[in-house]
Amino acid sequence: RRVHGGFGGVVQFPKNFLKQAYDHVRSHGGVCVMDEIQTGFGRLGSHFWAFESHGVVPDIVTLAKGIGNGFPLAAVVTTPKIAKSLSTGKFFNTFGGNPLATAVG
């Protein structure tokens, strides 16, 4: 079992697990979300994003920690279709109204 950095380590999924899970979720109309807060931004050493090592492409990726270089900053990356859906309802975030967070981001 490979264990990667982060607080307490991050255990990799078994080979093909994510691919099979993504196929199953999408076959039922769902979207696939990857949390790259601990493993993203090259922390694995071999790939910039952990999902790349599994041969999958998520519909939504959450990012934090490494993106702010110590400043509490986060981001969500998604498809144009999902992003467009955010304009039809109310959307809020924690740091968006903070002038310092806006400048850092």
Side-chain angles (χ1 to χ4, degrees):
R1 203 187 263 195
R2 288 174 56 187
V3 177
H4 298 288
F7 186 75
V10 178
V11 178
Q12 280 277 43
F13 293 113
K15 191 166 183 72
N16 294 319
F17 173 81
L18 279 184
K19 185 163 181 36
Q20 292 172 2
Y22 276 36
D23 290 345
H24 180 75
V25 167
R26 288 180 173 145
S27 73
H28 288 82
V31 296
C32 298
V33 181
M34 178 61 70
D35 178 347
E36 290 280 357
I37 292 172
Q38 290 285 357
T39 57
F41 296 98
R43 289 184 173 137
L44 297 183
S46 62
H47 295 82
F48 197 74
W49 304 113
F51 65 81
E52 292 175 313
S53 67
H54 292 276
V56 297
V57 177
D59 301 300
I60 300 172
V61 180
T62 59
L63 318 167
K65 296 187 180 183
I67 196 172
N69 197 24
F71 190 84
L73 196 62
V76 175
V77 180
T78 189
T79 65
K81 181 179 178 183
I82 294 172
K84 186 176 179 183
S85 73
L86 296 175
S87 67
T88 61
K90 292 184 179 182
F91 176 75
F92 70 94
N93 59 64
T94 304
F95 301 115
N98 179 321
L100 182 57
T102 303
V104 171

